[in-house]
Amino acid sequence: MNNTQTEFDLIIVGGGMVGSALACALTQDSLHEGNARYKHLNIAVIDGGDLQPAQATLSPHKFDPRVSALTLSSQRFLQRVGAWQLMQQRRVSPYREMRVWDGDGTGQIEFNADDLKQPVLGHIVENSVTQSALLSVLHQADNVTLIPGERVQSLLDNGERGPRLRMESGLELEAPLLVAADGANSQVRSSAGFAVREWDYLHHGIVTTVETSNSHQYTAWQSFRESGPLAFLPLPVSDDGRNFCSIVWSNVPEEAERLMALDDQAFASELQRAIESRLGDILSIDQRYCFPFRQRHAVDYVMPGIALVGDAAHTIHPLAGQGVNLGLMDAAALAGVILEAQSRGDDYSRFALLQKYQRQRKGANLTMMGAMEFFERLFHSQSLPLRLLRNSGLNLVDKAPLVKRELMARAMGVEGDIPELAR
Ligand SMILES: Cc1cc2nc3c(=O)[nH]c(=O)nc-3n(C[C@H](O)[C@H](O)[C@H](O)COP(=O)(O)OP(=O)(O)OC[C@H]3O[C@@H](n4cnc5c(N)ncnc54)[C@H](O)[C@@H]3O)c2cc1C
């Protein structure tokens, strides 16, 4: 970085997938072509990490443990900001079907891309692939200053000239608009005094990569069990024909702890039993990681001069793989209102514009969080009426093409409140 520069038009704290995508959207000439009044903002992206795109060649049998099921609207947004093409060159895994069933009952439902008249339902992508592509775009941008290895310590004030930040190194930076994309434990959010509602799901998630003996058929497999949901997400088949899946297995904390303590062979046999051997034998297990799941939602996403995006604004249960998709839609919506103001020669940091962003996103995020909460409670319940409801409910929806299509279209990001940059 140019060490003398401490004033910017926009500071984004957090160069994760969401913060980087927002910065990329504000660097793309194609998004404001033909508008002579448009002036690029001078943007800083700050992160405690190194903000370097990955250089190493990907190993065909080794995958990043953190993956996301990207919806079609996330794909479109990533295309428009110039990252999708780079992601495809590295590796993405399309999936065309999704099979969801009650692991403790008889209900089941199947979703197929053909029902939506789409080539795929979405893509399973390693987070590191998405992140790396976005950072490659940012490294080419003239109007972005990347500030790696700097962690925000506090927000000094939010006065007339806008927010001023102090880094742990003592560096101070200011801009009329500050965007917090610094994740679930956002330092900017707490420093600025945003109120947050949060509650534990009483679930921990185990994530790892497994190799299966049968083909995953480019299908996302999800079993809802009383102890928690278990997902097998299909990864690219290697040139030598081996099938790998990324798994997310939610369990109550004591059970997750017990499963984490098992050796690979014992873990593989419990996992195979839990997925009812639908993908044959579990041949190998990569290193396992375990995360506690919490749901958080900021009461407001904006205050004068500051906006929250992505996990800094909301975290949801990863059972439907919607977390990063909601964050990318936040980035698309906020970029949309900033670009619109810039094209009119208007003040892009005006509070009324930030409120417009909040109006666009809060309802959509709350709807998705409510749906996840409903599913979580429905499947976690031991009550007989609820168990009957979920068995008959899944089967009924499976046989009701219109309801099923509507559900699928919303979950896959084909319909609903989709920001313009992601349409
Ligand atoms: C087990 C698990 C499975 C998941 N599976 C899915 C899935 O299948 N699909 C899906 O869509 N989502 C999934 N999610 C959620 C998804 O990973 C998150 O929603 C997503 O990573 C959020 O992106 P973000 O950019 O908002 O935040 P983050 O990825 O957390 O990025 C925040 C960035 O801010 C930086 N930072 C933090 N604090 C500071 C500071 N003080 N100063 C400077 N920089 C800072 C960090 O270094 C980081 O780079 C899953 C989550 C978990 C835990």
Side-chain angles (χ1 to χ4, degrees):
M1 124 181 225
N2 169 1
N3 280 328
T4 54
Q5 189 176 2
T6 56
E7 289 183 14
F8 296 89
D9 298 328
L10 168 64
I11 296 176
I12 300 172
V13 180
M17 290 183 280
V18 176
S20 298
L22 171 65
C24 285
L26 298 173
T27 66
Q28 295 296 302
D29 289 331
S30 58
L31 300 184
H32 49 81
E33 245 161 16
N35 189 330
R37 293 172 79 178
Y38 187 86
K39 186 178 147 286
H40 269 308
L41 295 176
N42 179 9
I43 302 169
V45 178
I46 304 166
D47 200 288
D50 66 10
L51 295 176
Q52 284 300 328
Q55 299 297 341
T57 320
L58 294 170
S59 148
H61 304 142
K62 179 93 186 143
F63 298 86
D64 181 359
R66 303 232 14 207
V67 306
S68 298
L70 295 178
T71 59
L72 296 170
S73 40
S74 290
Q75 177 186 340
R76 277 192 294 267
F77 179 50
L78 290 164
Q79 256 156 357
R80 296 191 79 177
V81 305
W84 183 255
Q85 301 75 340
L86 300 173
M87 291 162 65
Q88 276 183 309
Q89 281 164 22
R90 251 173 118 68
R91 71 181 166 203
V92 300
S93 179
Y95 66 101
R96 298 184 192 92
E97 276 185 51
M98 186 187 263
R99 286 190 205 158
V100 179
W101 69 98
D102 184 343
D104 301 312
T106 56
Q108 60 174 341
I109 187 163
E110 286 184 21
F111 299 108
N112 194 305
D114 293 340
D115 299 337
L116 276 184
K117 299 192 172 43
Q118 297 285 341
V120 297
L121 285 179
H123 288 83
I124 309 298
V125 188
E126 292 152 271
N127 288 1
S128 54
V129 168
T130 309
Q131 173 76 30
S132 188
L134 290 163
L135 289 173
S136 298
V137 173
L138 290 184
H139 274 267
Q140 301 300 319
D142 295 334
N143 64 321
V144 177
T145 304
L146 295 170
I147 309 181
E150 286 280 1
R151 291 188 59 81
V152 168
Q153 187 185 59
S154 58
L155 184 66
L156 294 177
D157 51 49
N158 192 13
E160 275 180 22
R161 291 174 57 226
R164 199 151 55 92
L165 281 175
R166 174 173 290 153
M167 306 295 131
E168 286 175 359
S169 66
L171 179 71
E172 288 183 16
L173 302 171
E174 62 186 327
L177 181 57
L178 170 65
V179 176
D182 50 346
N185 298 311
S186 170
Q187 180 67 24
V188 174
R189 183 186 66 213
S190 52
S191 233
F194 281 91
V196 176
R197 283 183 61 229
E198 59 185 302
W199 56 99
D200 263 319
Y201 271 120
L202 299 177
H203 263 174
H204 284 193
I206 300 175
V207 298
T208 186
T209 309
V210 301
E211 183 179 354
T212 59
S213 63
N214 290 359
S215 161
H216 52 48
Q217 302 163 48
Y218 288 101
T219 296
W221 308 76
Q222 194 151 29
S223 166
F224 281 92
R225 312 161 74 238
E226 219 162 85
S227 50
L230 166 62
F232 272 59
L233 307 172
L235 293 166
V237 176
S238 62
D239 287 344
D240 52 356
R242 290 164 64 182
N243 277 259
F244 295 88
C245 286
S246 177
I247 67 141
V248 184
W249 194 1
S250 309
N251 273 292
V252 289
E254 313 77 64
E255 179 63 359
E257 220 169 278
R258 185 187 71 79
L259 291 168
M260 284 299 285
L262 297 175
D263 63 30
D264 280 357
Q265 205 178 355
F267 181 82
S269 58
E270 295 232 12
L271 180 63
Q272 192 171 319
R273 202 171 320 126
I275 198 72
E276 301 163 30
S277 298
R278 291 196 184 209
L279 288 101
D281 295 336
I282 305 286
L283 301 177
S284 69
I285 307 256
D286 204 348
Q287 189 174 349
R288 286 166 257 162
Y289 299 86
C290 187
F291 303 88
F293 290 150
R294 292 179 76 73
Q295 176 146 291
R296 285 192 195 83
H297 195 236
V299 175
D300 283 307
Y301 295 0
V302 298
M303 60 171 66
I306 308 180
L308 310 179
V309 291
D311 273 22
H314 44 74
T315 55
I316 70 171
H317 196 295
L319 66 82
Q322 289 292 337
V324 81
N325 294 302
L326 298 185
L328 289 172
M329 292 307 101
D330 293 349
L334 184 57
V337 296
I338 293 175
L339 287 168
E340 203 185 307
Q342 283 286 92
S343 329
R344 285 195 311 260
D346 203 355
D347 175 5
Y348 63 91
S349 66
R350 255 188 330 125
F351 188 47
L353 279 179
L354 301 185
Q355 286 173 308
K356 186 173 170 190
Y357 151 68
Q358 166 162 299
R359 276 196 303 280
Q360 279 186 26
R361 292 304 305 150
K362 205 167 149 188
N365 289 338
L366 275 171
T367 306
M368 186 56 79
M369 291 172 90
M372 293 306 108
E373 182 80 5
F374 170 76
F375 266 103
E376 212 272 333
R377 280 171 197 258
L378 184 64
F379 283 93
H380 203 49
S381 170
Q382 295 181 1
S383 111
L384 188 62
L386 282 183
R387 293 189 63 167
L388 289 174
L389 173 73
R390 71 191 192 212
N391 277 325
S392 52
L394 282 180
N395 291 330
L396 273 175
V397 173
D398 196 37
K399 291 180 182 60
L402 287 179
V403 181
K404 192 165 138 180
R405 193 198 164 278
E406 180 69 21
L407 258 181
M408 204 174 17
R410 286 182 176 268
M412 303 306 153
V414 179
E415 282 170 16
D417 293 322
I418 300 168
E420 200 174 320
L421 290 182
R423 280 185 209 144

